[in-house]
Amino acid sequence: MDFLRPTTWEEALAAKADRPEAVPIQGGTDVMVELNFDVRRPAALLDLGQVAELRAWGMVGGFCRVGAGVPYTTIIEELGGPLPGLAQASRTVGSPQIRNRGSVGGNLGAASPAGDSHPPLLAADAVVEVESRDRGVRMVPATAFYLGVKRSALEPDELIRAVHVRPATGPQYFSKVGTRNAMVIAVCSFAIALHPGERRVGTGLGSAAPTPRRAYEAEELLARELDWQAPLDPALLRRFGELCAAAAAPIDDVRGTAAYRVHAIGVMARRTLTWAWNDHLGRRAA
Amino acid sequence: MTTKYAETEPRQDAVKHVGRPVDRVDGRAKTTGEARYAAEHRYPGMAHAALVHATVARGRIEAVDTEAARAVPGVIEVLTHENAPAMKPAPKTSLMNLSSLASGTTVSYLATDEVHWNGQPVAVVVAETPETARHAASLVRVAYRELPAVVDFAAEEPNASPQKSSVLQPAGGDKGDAVAALAAAPVSVDLRFTTPPEHHNAMEPHATIAVWDGDRLTVHEGTQNIAWLRAHLAQRFGIPERAVRVLSPYVGGGFGGKGFVWAGTLLAVLAARATARPVRLALTREGVYRTVGGRTPTVQRVALGADGDGDLTALIHTSVAMTARIGGMPEGVVSSSRHLYDAATIHLRQRLVRLDLLANTAMRAPGDSVGSFALESAMDELACELGIDPIELRRRNEPERNPMDGKRFTHRMLREAYEVGAERFGWRERDPRPGSMRDGRWLVGMGVATAYHPSLTMPADVTVRLAADGAVVVRCALQEIGVGAATVQAQITADELGVPLEAVRVEIGDSELPAGPGAGGSAQTAGAAAGVLDACRKLKESALALARRAPDSPLRGRRLDDLEARDGGLYHGGRGETYAAILARAGRDHLEAGGGTGMLKFLAKTLNERRRWVKAASGAHFCEVRVDRDTGEVRVSRWLGMFDVGRVINAKTAAGQLRGGIVMGIGMALTEATQVDPRTGRIMNPSLSEYHVPVHADIPRIDVHWLDEPDPTMPLGLLGIGEVGITGVAAAVANAVRHATGKRVLDLPITLDKLL
């Protein structure tokens, strides 16, 4: 197995272009587990740990541009204001050691339906910046990024450079159910983001379908019927929960049954919308 | 006030060590990484072994292709049943030779083409590095002729056959006609429970380093039973016991999983012999699941009948558990029901199915941990039926004598445990109506259950040596599985001899030392303590005998029983002298004495005691849970355990053991289950990422207390505490969940979907 160790982004893109079969490794929290258990033996590993650019975040064109290598710990400590949904999800990842190593870029690269960062990225209309040496930059909306279980829109010669998320203009929440309180893959998860300026609510479902996905019909329901000045209508809240649950297409596995997941998605949808709505009204009143 | 305080505080307590929260003597070595566990030793020329596991549950090996593995640079040897040197078969088990029980399975590894379970080692690769060995092991190709296998416990349960009783473990029993009494009872419950297979998951995966020097064998291994391991290796490899040395100074957790000898150990020794190299075989976590047995699954029925006042008229407890065709210990699943309640009639039965799986083995409180889940859940349900407080129901049915046979309890304080525990926990705050206590979206529930574990001792040989400079060395091949084995025996020795704790060094973990008891059955501390007390007494008698020979000794004419050991010597009131003075006058540089009981005398004493007495550690668990009413998430929010464990030797290590048992019980209650594929018999979650033990965030503050009343029949009055902590825990959680939600969960673990 070759171990490629670029020190700049250009070198990394060149290495990936020359060796498209190379598996990128950032924090190693997914890739190393697969190697340890001999799930795969790539011909080459492309270590991005030396590429400093990936570990920085900044504001670009009104978006928060989060480098693919920014660890969860940094997101929690520095981005809780602009990206509250993503920061909340980051807090639930693994353990302190894993949060120090793991990154959103890695989560996107692995494209597991259970990845914790996907639901808040979907709810907040994130865009993934990918790049190849020969074809340049592509901006892929998160909604178009996830193609199947552990499959993404990333081409073999491309690397994930960053994820772009507009700073929150309204409350955002993330909720997750697990079989224990930490160090566990989600049974299912849900994220919500209010976009008051557009009179719109974004959603994201995790571990509830072959890919992370949005509950479009539920979002459309709110866009149509939500009165942004008034308390939440309980009937509307219930229908929102039902449509979110209906958007799920889960499986039975060792962590939970499909029926449980559908139920829990509905609960988390109602719960996170209620939390967000209380904040929204509170903020308006303040 | 000051004077009164001084009067009630006996002077010698200021220097006594027994009972105090003394730091572990090896705490620093363990926390700094200085302590070297089995896998961390190195020998010149040491090779590394990896196992190839069978992928069918039952069959014959038709062909093994080792060519690709042998071609890997660095591979030294690939051992299969076609080329491995023979081992002697496992011995027939006999109570006259307890080490004959040491065998994890009856399989003669690499001596047969037969496959008995999915995961059985069918080849061993020896290589220059562990990575090479593992890689080459993945290249070994084995072709099988599959045979029909019975691997599905649930499907096989109706075909269970009665379990045989033994001298030490009755498998059933009757008192009156419980079936008729149940039918006639005005109030009754009749419930069917299931518990899944579980694994120990000690932090240290099993590892062995085997070194042959001619026909002498040295083995580094973390074991719970040095003497059994030594005897077993001698027998399997045809050498005398004295030619085997087992080194096991530190064991990274055992919980029963290191009490018996499993494939990895034998194959490391075999590989070392075959290659004439020191061989290290460190199992992966998956390797532990595939080759070391775990806890049996169970199906249990508990039916209780009561009159309107809550007096039990019938107690029926029956169980089905497993053993494997290739071994496994039948568990005393219904054992607690022999002792806990004064029911007018009792009917107990244990049945077994035999499966084509890896043999089950002891796991922390075998029998009692799973049996108490069923019994104590059923008692709680009966309390609900009767509308009686569950503590009151237990109090009404607390027996004066052992319910099955009228034997006396040496000591029993469950009433006190409940009374004091309820007060400290705030049980009276509990509103008995299910679902009545809320905290926001959380349903709050409080539950109790009884902890009970029989107490044993095992014989130990101990020597104590006291040098003229005051240094004391205690020698006994104890196993330090995390319990503070050396620490507590040092405390006892320091008190018995009246010397400072720092002066005592306890040597353990080496088969060259006098034989210790195994670390199992919660019996190590008591057994070793008996030996230490005996040796210390003999040593003091020797010192006194020396002193009495001198005309000017202040001890002249004194008897040992009149003397107090303190300040490094023997004293009668203010008069006496130090050991140093006695030794100096006699021109001796040390004294040494041995203590302990021979096995025959020990067995006779044990059987005699069992005819007369029933003894056990016990306690009351108090648990508070919060259940999310919409998602079914369960959070244990408070815990208090009030125990009757006789005299506590070390308040710190004792609390650690009791807490550890509770944590493990919370895992059993909420998350732990070994998933066996019912089609193939293969374990599907052989890792800590898929088998969920509790994490810190799952465990609240756990208060543990004890009544500290010595048991009159045990050395120093101590009762073993390694296992009692886990018993009753799963029931306390289930009962709290029942109180929070109104739902009775009968099948462990209590996962999210069972609460919707």
Side-chain angles (χ1 to χ4, degrees):
Chain A
M1 192 186 297
D2 295 326
F3 191 62
L4 311 175
R5 254 199 147 184
T7 56
T8 66
W9 180 240
E10 280 64 37
E11 283 176 21
L13 290 177
K16 188 62 171 151
D18 294 339
R19 299 285 302 273
E21 78 284 6
V23 171
I25 177 167
Q26 181 76 53
T29 58
D30 281 318
V31 173
M32 284 311 297
V33 173
E34 293 190 349
L35 295 184
N36 266 335
F37 286 100
D38 208 7
V39 176
R40 60 169 162 178
R41 293 189 189 194
L45 279 182
L46 178 59
D47 175 22
L48 299 173
Q50 305 296 306
V51 182
E53 300 98 300
L54 292 176
R55 298 177 69 85
W57 68 270
M59 294 303 296
V60 176
F63 283 80
C64 214
R65 180 175 184 251
V66 183
V70 173
Y72 292 114
T73 302
T74 305
I75 294 171
I76 294 164
E77 289 172 355
E78 299 176 13
L79 292 170
L83 310 179
L86 186 61
Q88 284 175 32
S90 300
R91 282 188 200 105
T92 73
V93 172
S95 62
Q97 296 90 331
I98 290 171
R99 292 194 286 273
N100 287 340
R101 298 285 306 175
S103 61
V104 174
N107 224 208
L108 287 165
S112 156
D116 290 312
S117 56
H118 308 317
L121 292 180
L122 286 168
D125 307 309
V127 177
V128 185
E129 177 188 344
V130 303
E131 189 172 352
S132 74
R133 180 188 64 190
D134 301 334
R135 291 174 298 112
V137 171
R138 283 199 301 149
M139 300 297 282
V140 185
T143 45
F145 188 79
Y146 312 107
L147 299 183
V149 176
K150 300 196 174 182
R151 284 193 303 116
S152 74
L154 202 62
E155 296 292 340
D157 64 339
E158 285 176 329
L159 291 171
I160 301 168
R161 172 64 184 83
V163 59
H164 295 244
V165 194
R166 200 177 284 283
T169 55
Q172 300 184 351
Y173 278 98
F174 174 76
S175 179
K176 152 173 159 181
V177 177
T179 52
R180 64 182 171 192
N181 231 344
M183 292 293 289
V184 72
I185 299 170
V187 172
C188 54
S189 61
F190 187 85
I192 201 161
L194 303 196
H195 305 289
E198 305 160 55
R199 292 286 189 265
R200 194 168 65 77
V201 173
T203 60
L205 278 63
S207 249
T211 65
R213 58 167 64 165
R214 281 165 62 172
Y216 286 111
E217 288 182 29
E219 293 183 14
E220 285 157 15
L221 171 78
L222 294 186
R224 222 170 33 237
E225 301 192 11
L226 194 56
D227 177 349
W228 285 75
Q229 318 300 324
L232 261 184
D233 169 15
L236 181 65
L237 180 65
R238 193 171 58 249
R239 284 165 63 207
F240 174 69
E242 286 164 5
L243 287 176
C244 286
I251 54 166
D252 288 335
D253 68 13
V254 293
R255 288 189 295 279
T257 60
Y260 177 82
R261 289 186 160 101
V262 170
H263 169 83
I265 289 288
V267 171
M268 290 190 290
R270 293 197 304 271
R271 197 171 270 178
T272 52
L273 178 58
T274 305
W275 294 334
W277 201 252
N278 289 343
D279 287 3
H280 167 68
L281 292 183
R283 198 173 297 177
R284 250 183 3 105
Chain B
M1 288 301 282
T2 315
T3 319
K4 186 162 183 255
Y5 182 76
E7 278 169 7
T8 55
E9 192 86 346
R11 194 183 69 86
Q12 70 264 29
D13 276 9
V15 293
K16 287 278 180 196
H17 300 98
V18 165
R20 283 174 44 206
V22 172
D23 286 346
R24 294 159 189 274
V25 294
D26 50 10
R28 188 181 174 83
K30 284 180 171 177
T31 48
T32 57
E34 270 169 37
R36 284 166 85 201
Y37 288 79
E40 299 176 303
H41 293 269
R42 293 292 177 270
Y43 281 85
M46 187 168 81
H48 300 265
L51 302 177
V52 179
H53 302 279
T55 54
V56 301
R58 189 162 164 255
R60 308 295 284 254
I61 298 170
E62 294 208 311
V64 190
D65 178 359
T66 61
E67 202 175 319
R70 287 178 184 282
V72 175
V75 168
I76 299 161
E77 180 61 282
V78 181
L79 295 167
T80 69
H81 69 286
E82 290 169 349
N83 64 348
M87 258 185 282
K88 290 196 171 16
K92 286 256 179 292
T93 58
S94 149
L95 275 185
M96 284 296 96
N97 170 19
L98 288 178
S99 74
S100 67
L101 304 175
S103 211
T105 76
T106 57
V107 174
S108 294
Y109 299 105
L110 304 194
T112 167
D113 63 351
E114 294 174 335
V115 173
H116 300 277
W117 84 86
N118 196 326
Q120 176 185 322
V122 290
V124 180
V125 177
V126 186
E128 299 293 348
T129 70
E131 292 78 13
T132 306
R134 274 178 69 186
H135 170 57
S138 76
L139 301 177
V140 174
R141 291 286 168 265
V142 185
Y144 303 95
R145 182 160 57 84
E146 279 196 69
L147 294 169
V150 181
V151 296
D152 184 349
F153 176 75
E156 196 56 19
E157 183 237 323
N159 305 324
S161 50
Q163 185 174 322
K164 289 196 188 78
S165 286
S166 78
V167 188
L168 294 175
Q169 197 191 77
D174 283 283
K175 173 181 159 188
D177 186 348
V179 175
L182 180 72
V187 184
S188 65
V189 296
D190 194 341
L191 301 169
R192 183 182 191 273
F193 299 89
T194 67
T195 64
E198 291 159 3
H199 274 76
H200 315 81
N201 284 303
M203 199 182 291
E204 176 203 28
H206 298 53
T208 308
I209 293 176
V211 187
W212 285 94
D213 176 10
D215 265 347
R216 297 189 63 81
L217 171 65
T218 301
V219 169
H220 295 268
E221 175 164 304
T223 174
Q224 290 177 246
N225 204 314
I226 291 168
W228 285 12
L229 176 56
R230 178 196 212 191
H232 190 74
L233 290 176
Q235 187 269 330
R236 299 298 288 265
F237 291 93
I239 54 177
E241 277 194 40
R242 65 177 182 281
V244 180
R245 183 168 189 194
V246 174
L247 289 160
S248 191
Y250 300 106
V251 187
F255 313 110
K258 292 170 185 166
F260 298 81
V261 184
W262 299 95
T265 308
L266 294 169
L267 291 172
V269 176
L270 187 80
R273 184 174 250 188
T275 58
R277 298 268 295 261
V279 167
R280 173 181 180 270
L281 201 173
L283 295 182
T284 59
R285 183 64 61 183
E286 177 178 356
V288 178
Y289 276 87
R290 301 254 179 262
T291 63
V292 177
R295 196 193 291 287
T296 175
T298 71
V299 176
Q300 301 177 59
R301 176 190 176 210
V302 180
L304 301 170
D307 64 19
D309 294 333
D311 289 333
L312 285 176
T313 56
L315 189 172
I316 294 174
H317 191 172
T318 64
S319 68
V320 178
M322 71 158 277
T323 56
R325 280 190 221 281
I326 42 105
M329 186 188 67
E331 289 202 7
V333 177
V334 308
S335 161
S336 294
S337 289
R338 312 181 71 80
H339 307 297
L340 279 185
Y341 298 112
D342 193 14
T345 65
I346 300 177
H347 172 76
L348 307 174
R349 288 291 184 277
Q350 292 174 169
R351 290 183 299 146
L352 288 174
V353 296
R354 273 154 66 91
L355 301 177
D356 295 303
L357 297 175
L358 173 55
N360 63 301
T361 193
M363 179 166 156
R364 207 171 199 165
D368 293 303
S369 54
V370 283
S372 63
F373 164 65
L375 175 62
E376 289 298 282
S377 293
M379 280 298 280
D380 194 72
E381 196 58 29
L382 181 66
C384 295
E385 285 288 319
L386 286 160
I388 294 178
D389 180 90
I391 296 177
E392 174 59 18
L393 180 65
R394 286 172 174 83
R395 200 187 60 76
R396 284 187 199 181
N397 290 286
E398 175 66 10
E400 295 306 319
R401 288 182 169 234
N402 193 48
M404 287 300 283
D405 48 26
K407 287 178 196 169
R408 275 184 292 169
F409 299 113
T410 56
H411 172 91
R412 180 142 161 152
M413 301 184 73
L414 269 170
R415 277 201 185 96
E416 291 85 344
Y418 269 109
E419 196 175 316
V420 181
E423 179 62 34
R424 294 195 185 179
F425 187 72
W427 182 255
R428 79 176 67 154
E429 312 293 319
R430 177 182 187 261
D431 179 335
R433 293 168 303 158
S436 62
M437 296 171 69
R438 304 275 175 111
D439 178 9
R441 70 179 206 244
W442 297 98
L443 303 169
V444 179
M446 292 160 82
V448 294
T450 298
Y452 188 91
H453 191 262
S455 294
L456 309 170
T457 47
M458 294 296 280
D461 295 329
V462 176
T463 63
V464 178
R465 185 182 197 277
L466 187 151
D469 65 0
V472 175
V473 179
V474 179
R475 305 176 86 230
C476 181
L478 299 175
Q479 296 82 192
E480 168 51 14
I481 58 173
V483 302
T487 310
V488 297
Q489 300 305 331
Q491 289 174 263
I492 294 169
T493 306
D495 279 4
E496 288 303 307
L497 295 182
V499 299
L501 186 61
E502 306 72 50
V504 183
R505 183 162 53 90
V506 182
E507 294 184 354
I508 63 168
D510 182 345
S511 61
E512 302 287 284
L513 297 168
S522 300
Q524 177 171 256
T525 300
V532 165
L533 295 178
D534 190 25
C536 285
R537 181 169 179 90
K538 286 176 182 160
L539 190 134
K540 287 187 287 187
E541 274 167 354
S542 305
L544 181 59
L546 277 185
R548 285 165 54 165
R549 277 184 224 156
D552 56 338
S553 170
L555 295 172
R556 209 170 154 79
R558 295 288 176 199
R559 291 172 45 240
L560 189 55
D561 289 343
D562 303 332
L563 301 178
E564 186 189 353
R566 63 172 164 87
D567 300 330
L570 298 172
Y571 293 87
H572 180 79
R575 285 175 54 75
E577 60 185 335
T578 62
Y579 302 119
I582 296 169
L583 286 170
R585 186 192 309 108
R588 301 274 289 267
D589 63 359
H590 76 279
L591 284 172
E592 181 159 345
T597 326
M599 181 52 92
L600 278 180
K601 195 173 159 197
F602 166 78
L603 278 178
K605 180 171 175 280
T606 302
L607 290 175
N608 187 35
E609 275 200 347
R610 289 176 84 100
R611 272 197 288 273
R612 297 167 57 202
W613 302 106
V614 168
K615 60 178 136 186
S618 62
H621 289 293
F622 296 80
C623 163
E624 181 190 271
V625 298
R626 266 135 220 268
V627 183
D628 185 304
R629 61 168 197 258
D630 300 313
T631 65
E633 288 162 288
V634 178
R635 301 284 184 256
V636 177
S637 48
R638 273 198 311 139
W639 200 283
L640 185 141
M642 188 76 220
F643 293 95
D644 170 22
V645 288
R647 188 196 300 281
V648 164
I649 305 300
N650 184 321
K652 185 182 265 188
T653 56
Q657 284 218 66
L658 293 168
R659 274 198 193 101
I662 292 165
V663 172
M664 209 164 176
I666 291 174
M668 176 180 166
L670 296 179
T671 57
E672 294 188 35
T674 305
Q675 316 239 355
V676 179
D677 189 325
R679 300 160 301 177
T680 63
R682 194 163 178 87
I683 293 173
M684 299 187 288
N685 57 344
S687 75
L688 289 173
S689 62
E690 296 293 326
Y691 180 107
H692 291 160
V693 300
V695 296
H696 281 97
D698 294 315
I699 302 298
R701 177 195 160 90
I702 296 174
D703 286 325
V704 294
H705 305 279
W706 43 81
L707 297 166
D708 217 15
E709 280 291 320
D711 180 294
T713 63
M714 294 292 280
L716 285 177
L718 74 89
L719 297 164
I721 53 175
E723 292 167 283
V724 66
I726 192 177
T727 63
V729 170
V733 174
N735 296 344
V737 167
R738 165 74 168 79
H739 179 229
T741 64
K743 286 200 172 68
R744 168 65 58 191
V745 178
L746 302 166
D747 306 297
L748 292 182
I750 304 169
T751 46
L752 303 161
D753 37 348
K754 290 173 189 164
L755 292 174
L756 293 183

